[in-house]
Amino acid sequence: MQNLKVDSKGHDTGIYLQELQFGEELKKWQKHFHQMTGIFAYLVDGRGEPLTDMTGKTEEINKIHRAITKEQVQNLVARVTENALEDQAIEYTDTPNLRLAAISIKKGGKLMATWVMCAIISDADCTDYTNPPLEGFEKMLTEAEFSRAIDVMREISQVLLEYQYLATNAQAENRRSQFSQREMEEVLHKTEAMTEIVQLLDNDDSIEVIIQKLLETAGRYLNISVAALFSVHHNNELMDVIGEWRKEGMVPLFDQNANQKSIPFLFTDKPIVISADTMIGSAEREEIGQLGIKALTVLPVFSTETNRMYALFGDAYGERSWQTQDIKFVSDAVKILHSILTRRIQKNSLASSYASLETILDNVGSAIYVKDEQTGKMLFANRNMRNIFRPELENGTLHEFISKERISENGNSEIYHESSGRWYDLYITGIKWVDGRPVYLYALYDITEKKLYQRKIEQQAYSDFLTGLYNRMCCERDLAKYIDEASKAHAEGALLYLDLDDFKHINDGLGHQYGDVLLKAIAHGLQRIEGIEDTCYRMGGDEFVIIVPVESFPMLDDILRAIGEIFEKPWFLKDADYYCTMSMGLACFPSDGNSVHDLIKKADIAMYEAKRSGKNRYARYAAGTDFKSGKRLDMEKNMRDATVSGYREFEIYYQPIIDLKKSGTPCTGAEALIRWNSEEMGFIPPSEFIPLAEYLGLINPIGNYVLMEACKRCRHWNDNGYPEYKINVNLSVVQLLQPDIVQIVEKALKETGINPHNLTLEVTESLAINDMERMKDILENIKKLGVRIALDDFGTGYSSLNHIREIPFDVIKVDQTFIKDLETDAYSRSFIKMVVQLAEAIDVNICIEGVETKEQYRILSDMNVGLIQGYYFDRPIPGPEFERKYTPNLEMVLKVAER
């Protein structure tokens, strides 16, 4: 493989294979692609020069090379690499049944790789050609099959590229975020420890108690084993232990406090720093070892003819290596200790005490300000305070900026300094000054990095990953604020609920990637409308909400007109124009409602009226008007009643899962599926009541009920003759995002006693699109319980390979759409084969859904597929019926147990 090169025209003529490290992935895919389709493929640079060898049999490759020229390849490559509107092309050759194709794989407009592919066409028209058709090839394709295979090659290559690109960026971003967070936490931890030590300056406790507190605070911050203060006799041979703090489980350094044998080489006029790996003499290392420690730092506190004190900080565990920040902290702590001892020893020297205090406070990391409690006069400002807040000190406005009235109940507050653009944590403490008068000590700690990190996290939590708009959570938060503002001002605002008409046709007809392009284009169009630039939200799927604040309400008609104009023009998708309209509901606040959920509901009802009236329009909510929402309201009432009355109307059906690798294709368990048989409305399909349950916030209790009942049923099977039976339970995105979802699963395991390995939780790949890192944390914590995770509806999203590599799934469930035409569609069979190979490579199980015919069953049996389920075996059935059909020994086991 080659690195990136640039030709004379400035075009990329190579690929970023080494930078993105996905060259080997493309090689593997090239080999698999040929085995599945019979297409001959190889990678080239921008001039058509080969980067990899063509895959296939040598004799067949030689025939192809004789039939095409290097100039043909170069012209075709130039066509797909130099034209921004065309990334793949198929051309005829002088040989009637030989087709030549090229695909350029690009990222952000930059060429990353170019495929050249050849195929022998079985249904080619060989008339009017001078050259004869090529013969003797093992595999041939139809024109349609070759075209579909080209699409597959482009999509899979793009997915591989996107995965590697995102993985590389995510790793780098993750390292930066973790480092930033650790650094902020360390600064905060150090600041808190130093604040505790500084406050000891004015502590009225005995000197012994103060020394003990200081040693303990420093020791815990440094996470060491021992901290001690020694007084060395004038002969340097004996010493006394003035104070000693030990980590729990650490024995004292000496048997007694007075007249201990000294260690002369440690107690000098200069600081001693010895790490576990420091090269020192064997005698010195032995003396340190006798103390039971491996690394230490010793600093002189006093060094006079009559009084020599030293502070020792030691670690007995691991391979301690002292860092610069550790030594700086120890030095600051010893300076404060020196000041404390000086004040106690020289009680009559106020000036000396003040000078020591000033020196110490000038060298701490925070900004310190001291003010007389009675007169309000400034007594002291340390160097940081004078440097950062010089203008405020000079013009007398500092008191307004850091007044104690801004302090919250917990003793601190966050304040913003506009001139520097920095954030500070402000702490105010009442202490006694060096002369005994009561003063206020103001301490300000710079937390700007922390605030920026919090803002980044909040932005991620409140933003939609695809469109960049705010999400539902942010919408509900902001709407509550705008309703409150409108009520207080006795003014009006509006809520617009927008849903795209027949958006499913775009996704199904063009693919989800083009649906995503359309959603982003619509989002950008909404954000450009004056008056609502910052109040557009994506609620999920193809639904958007727009808040018209009070100040923009006079422009409501213009806003509605501008929204309509967005959908009057076609969207250019996949080389053609497509029209997509919208239906929109409008509700005003606070006149139509003063609660968030009530207002959204009314705008939603108005939107459904717009759809009922013919779509491509908007409708205003009007009280008392029949919007054909009676059934939906009845469903809402009956669903709430059903949940209050113990969920007895909800039934759990079980669809068997068959293991093809076991003789007789036995049942290996079941998937639990909820059904609602309402007493008032009859049987309601899941497609109708599950979205409503999510909208009403009832999906969590209903889902928890299904989880508990399914685990009970599986435990019943396991204890009565079927210990290997497993149960699959679906989790919706709403359930998975519960803050206590891990505890809910753990509770179900404990209360039912089911073997965690017999429970499989199914999640769809769409759950991970907006917040991959959060999904990984949640699913990894669930897996720690022993529960298995299945990726449901695989293949329906545009980043499936990403998710499989990011999240450790145990089972891949292939969506039924991929086997619908399995008997006749070569692409479907190739896709299944590819997924089987992928599952084997990453060591996960595969389950095929939607098996309905004997021929589908036969084909899958020959493909080394493990698990299947579908109507060919059985529909979802009630629990008792499932047990009669798939646990025939259960009744006999229970009868024996009764005897």
Side-chain angles (χ1 to χ4, degrees):
M1 292 295 180
Q2 301 180 10
N3 290 322
L4 181 67
K5 301 178 180 177
V6 180
D7 62 20
S8 59
K9 296 181 180 180
H11 299 129
D12 294 344
T13 61
I15 54 178
Y16 287 101
L17 296 180
Q18 293 182 356
E19 289 186 22
L20 291 178
Q21 298 180 348
F22 86 116
E24 291 304 319
E25 298 290 339
L26 291 180
K27 281 185 176 180
K28 293 176 183 178
W29 172 237
Q30 176 181 327
K31 180 179 179 181
H32 287 309
F33 185 69
H34 174 74
Q35 292 173 346
M36 290 187 295
T37 64
I39 293 177
F40 301 85
Y42 63 101
L43 280 167
V44 300
D45 62 19
R47 294 171 297 182
E49 296 295 333
L51 295 173
T52 61
D53 296 328
M54 181 182 287
T55 305
K57 294 182 177 179
T58 303
E59 59 272 17
E60 294 180 345
I61 293 174
N62 290 336
K63 292 179 181 179
I64 292 175
H65 280 324
R66 288 194 294 269
I68 58 176
T69 67
K70 183 177 181 180
E71 183 180 3
Q72 284 180 289
V73 174
Q74 290 175 336
N75 291 339
L76 183 58
V77 169
R79 174 180 170 185
V80 298
T81 56
E82 298 178 2
N83 188 342
L85 300 178
E86 189 173 29
D87 56 10
Q88 70 181 47
I90 299 175
E91 290 187 354
Y92 286 77
T93 66
D94 293 337
T95 302
N97 63 340
L98 176 62
R99 298 292 180 269
L100 181 64
I103 302 172
S104 64
I105 309 301
K106 300 175 181 176
K107 176 66 180 176
K110 181 173 292 184
L111 177 65
M112 309 302 288
T114 304
W115 287 110
V116 173
M117 291 173 288
C118 304
I120 306 302
I121 305 302
S122 60
D123 58 349
D125 183 4
C126 297
T127 60
D128 297 329
Y129 273 84
T130 303
N131 297 328
L134 294 181
E135 297 180 348
F137 283 77
E138 183 177 335
K139 291 185 179 181
M140 302 177 71
L141 292 82
T142 65
E143 296 276 11
E145 289 171 339
F146 183 53
S147 179
R148 287 200 300 270
I150 295 301
D151 290 337
V152 171
M153 170 62 86
R154 178 176 55 79
E155 292 174 3
I156 296 300
S157 297
Q158 193 69 44
V159 167
L160 288 172
L161 171 61
E162 288 290 338
Y163 159 71
Q164 187 62 45
Y165 182 85
L166 291 175
T168 302
N169 285 351
Q171 291 171 2
E173 181 62 23
N174 185 48
R175 289 193 296 269
R176 286 193 296 270
S177 297
Q178 289 179 352
F179 175 78
S180 177
Q181 184 176 7
R182 287 196 302 269
E183 188 178 53
M184 286 188 292
E185 290 174 350
E186 176 60 23
V187 170
L188 179 60
H189 185 33
K190 179 179 179 180
T191 302
E192 291 174 347
M194 188 55 66
T195 299
E196 290 183 28
I197 292 175
V198 170
Q199 290 177 346
L200 294 175
L201 286 166
D202 200 57
N203 195 301
D204 292 327
D205 291 337
S206 66
I207 189 63
E208 293 80 9
V209 172
I210 292 175
I211 290 173
Q212 190 67 23
K213 288 181 178 179
L214 187 146
L215 294 175
E216 179 178 356
T217 302
R220 293 191 183 281
Y221 166 75
L222 295 169
N223 192 25
I224 57 177
S225 306
V226 62
L229 179 67
F230 302 95
S231 176
V232 180
H233 295 191
H234 68 279
N235 59 11
N236 208 35
E237 294 179 358
L238 299 177
M239 62 183 183
D240 300 328
V241 181
I242 305 301
E244 181 181 7
W245 168 85
R246 301 181 302 278
K247 194 173 186 178
E248 185 177 354
M250 182 72 181
V251 300
L253 294 181
F254 302 99
D255 297 331
Q256 58 188 38
N257 292 333
N259 298 321
Q260 290 292 330
K261 184 179 179 181
S262 178
I263 306 176
F265 89 93
L266 289 179
F267 302 118
T268 68
D269 293 337
K270 295 182 179 180
I272 301 293
V273 178
I274 300 176
S275 298
D277 58 354
T278 300
M279 299 297 293
I280 60 175
S282 58
E284 288 82 0
R285 179 63 71 182
E286 182 179 355
E287 285 185 308
I288 296 175
Q290 290 176 356
L291 295 178
I293 54 181
K294 298 181 179 180
L296 56 77
T297 295
V298 179
L299 285 86
V301 180
F302 283 107
S303 183
T304 66
E305 293 182 358
T306 59
N307 196 350
R308 292 167 50 209
M309 290 187 182
Y310 298 86
L312 180 147
F313 303 85
D315 196 7
Y317 306 104
E319 300 295 327
R320 180 74 183 219
S321 178
W322 296 101
Q323 305 298 314
T324 302
Q325 59 267 29
D326 296 337
I327 304 304
K328 178 66 168 58
F329 178 86
V330 168
S331 177
D332 288 343
V334 169
K335 289 178 183 177
I336 295 174
L337 176 59
H338 177 275
S339 180
I340 293 172
L341 293 172
T342 300
R343 290 182 59 187
R344 294 302 177 99
I345 294 172
Q346 303 174 348
K347 293 183 179 180
N348 297 326
S349 181
L350 180 61
S352 176
S353 298
Y354 183 84
S356 298
L357 175 62
E358 182 177 10
T359 301
I360 293 168
L361 295 181
D362 270 341
N363 288 279
V364 297
S366 57
I368 303 294
Y369 173 81
V370 179
K371 184 183 70 173
D372 189 294
E373 183 177 325
Q374 296 178 345
T375 65
K377 181 181 178 182
M378 182 188 78
L379 300 179
F380 175 77
N382 74 345
R383 184 185 298 113
N384 279 341
M385 177 64 72
R386 296 192 300 271
N387 290 339
I388 299 172
F389 301 102
R390 181 180 300 277
E392 289 82 359
L393 286 170
E394 293 176 350
N395 59 31
T397 60
L398 182 65
H399 178 66
E400 299 175 6
F401 180 63
I402 59 173
S403 64
K404 65 178 181 179
E405 286 75 16
R406 305 182 66 166
I407 292 294
S408 60
E409 294 181 358
N410 60 5
N412 69 290
S413 65
E414 292 181 355
I415 57 178
Y416 180 66
H417 191 227
E418 292 186 5
S419 61
S420 64
R422 311 291 292 180
W423 282 90
Y424 294 89
D425 253 347
L426 170 63
Y427 291 83
I428 300 180
T429 306
I431 64 172
K432 290 184 179 180
W433 196 228
V434 290
D435 57 0
R437 78 176 91 177
V439 298
Y440 288 118
L441 185 147
Y442 297 77
L444 292 101
Y445 306 100
D446 193 327
I447 59 168
T448 305
E449 298 302 321
K450 172 186 172 185
K451 292 293 291 184
L452 293 175
Y453 178 77
Q454 289 176 340
R455 185 176 299 172
K456 178 180 179 181
I457 296 300
E458 181 177 343
Q459 183 179 6
Q460 292 176 347
Y462 286 119
S463 296
D464 175 59
F465 176 79
L466 177 64
T467 64
L469 297 179
Y470 298 119
N471 59 16
R472 175 185 288 272
M473 187 185 305
C474 186
C475 173
E476 294 179 354
R477 182 198 65 177
D478 291 352
L479 183 56
K481 180 188 70 173
Y482 286 120
I483 293 174
D484 183 60
E485 291 176 355
S487 298
K488 291 179 180 178
H490 302 290
E492 284 283 293
L495 181 73
L496 311 178
Y497 201 113
L498 185 153
D499 183 89
L500 303 185
D501 297 329
D502 302 320
F503 178 69
K504 185 175 184 296
H505 295 166
I506 298 289
N507 271 342
D508 293 345
L510 301 180
H512 286 271
Q513 65 271 35
Y514 290 100
D516 291 345
V517 170
L518 176 59
L519 291 173
K520 288 190 283 188
I522 292 172
H524 294 160
L526 294 174
Q527 287 180 301
R528 289 195 293 267
I529 298 176
E530 183 181 359
I532 59 171
E533 298 93 334
D534 298 319
T535 54
C536 301
Y537 309 82
R538 184 187 178 207
M539 303 299 277
D542 59 344
E543 295 180 337
F544 298 84
V545 161
I546 300 161
I547 300 176
V548 182
V550 169
E551 58 270 20
S552 301
F553 190 75
M555 305 163 56
L556 179 59
D557 290 339
D558 293 333
I559 292 172
L560 294 174
R561 189 181 305 108
I563 294 174
E565 290 174 354
I566 292 177
F567 297 90
E568 290 177 356
K569 300 177 181 178
W571 309 90
F572 187 73
L573 303 170
K574 204 173 184 180
D575 301 328
D577 288 336
Y578 292 89
Y579 284 88
C580 179
T581 60
M582 62 81 196
S583 297
M584 185 166 61
L586 185 154
C588 295
F589 58 84
S591 57
D592 288 333
N594 56 9
S595 75
V596 170
H597 293 291
D598 186 43
L599 197 64
I600 292 177
K601 175 183 174 182
K602 289 177 178 178
D604 191 15
I605 291 175
M607 183 270 291
Y608 276 106
E609 171 63 13
K611 283 189 179 293
R612 191 186 69 83
S613 302
K615 302 181 181 179
N616 195 23
R617 66 193 65 211
Y618 77 90
R620 293 176 181 262
Y621 175 81
T625 302
D626 182 7
F627 283 105
K628 299 296 183 181
S629 59
K631 179 180 178 181
R632 190 166 182 268
L633 294 175
D634 289 342
M635 282 178 60
E636 179 178 338
K637 174 183 179 301
N638 283 282
M639 182 177 289
R640 294 187 186 277
D641 292 342
T643 55
V644 171
S645 60
Y647 307 98
R648 68 177 188 276
E649 293 183 3
F650 293 101
E651 302 174 5
I652 302 177
Y653 279 41
Y654 299 86
Q655 185 175 33
I657 299 175
I658 305 302
D659 189 346
L660 290 179
K661 295 185 178 180
K662 293 184 179 180
S663 60
T665 61
C667 173
T668 188
E671 179 179 355
L673 301 164
I674 189 171
R675 299 292 184 263
W676 182 21
N677 191 2
S678 171
E679 294 180 356
E680 296 291 332
M681 304 179 68
F683 191 86
I684 301 175
S687 59
E688 292 187 22
F689 77 81
I690 288 180
L692 179 61
E694 292 180 342
Y695 178 81
L696 297 176
L698 298 175
I699 193 65
N700 287 339
I702 293 174
N704 296 343
Y705 167 76
V706 173
L707 176 62
M708 188 67 71
E709 292 300 311
C711 288
K712 289 179 182 178
R713 179 76 67 173
C714 185
R715 173 66 189 275
H716 181 60
W717 301 336
N718 298 155
D719 289 348
N720 294 280
Y722 298 89
E724 300 301 323
Y725 268 27
K726 296 175 173 59
I727 192 72
N728 287 29
V729 179
N730 292 278
L731 285 185
S732 72
V733 63
V734 180
Q735 287 179 269
L736 197 60
L737 292 178
Q738 295 178 89
D740 59 346
I741 182 61
V742 179
Q743 290 76 15
I744 290 173
V745 175
E746 185 176 19
K747 178 182 177 183
L749 295 174
K750 289 182 178 179
E751 292 191 3
T752 63
I754 185 177
N755 181 348
H757 190 69
N758 286 350
L759 172 61
T760 301
L761 298 179
E762 296 189 10
V763 300
T764 62
E765 61 175 321
S766 60
L767 298 183
I769 291 177
N770 281 343
D771 198 341
M772 174 65 74
E773 289 302 319
R774 186 177 180 187
M775 289 301 107
K776 283 176 60 179
D777 290 341
I778 293 173
L779 294 178
E780 285 175 357
N781 287 330
I782 291 177
K783 281 181 65 66
K784 289 178 182 178
L785 302 175
V787 176
R788 290 153 50 88
I789 303 295
L791 175 61
D792 198 11
D793 299 337
F794 174 74
T796 59
Y798 67 90
S799 54
S800 304
L801 296 179
N802 267 353
H803 301 164
I804 291 176
R805 295 292 297 270
E806 288 284 337
I807 301 176
F809 292 107
D810 300 287
V811 181
I812 298 175
K813 299 193 73 175
V814 178
D815 188 72
Q816 60 184 352
T817 57
F818 286 95
I819 69 163
K820 184 177 180 181
D821 300 318
L822 189 64
E823 300 95 325
T824 59
D825 187 11
Y827 172 73
S828 296
R829 292 194 297 273
S830 297
F831 181 82
I832 298 297
K833 289 180 181 178
M834 181 195 71
V835 177
V836 170
Q837 292 174 351
L838 175 64
E840 291 175 349
I842 62 178
D843 193 25
V844 300
N845 292 328
I846 184 171
C847 180
I848 308 296
E849 298 181 296
V851 180
E852 297 183 354
T853 68
K854 183 176 181 179
E855 182 64 15
Q856 290 173 344
Y857 166 71
R858 185 193 63 77
I859 294 174
L860 293 174
S861 299
D862 296 335
M863 288 186 176
N864 199 29
V865 172
L867 305 174
I868 58 176
Q869 64 182 109
Y871 287 179
Y872 177 68
F873 299 98
D874 220 331
R875 295 173 177 269
I877 54 179
E881 184 178 347
F882 179 90
E883 291 179 352
R884 285 194 298 272
K885 297 179 68 174
Y886 297 99
T887 60
N889 298 329
L890 182 59
E891 185 175 356
M892 179 181 68
V893 172
L894 293 177
K895 288 181 178 179
V896 172
E898 290 175 356
R899 295 175 188 171

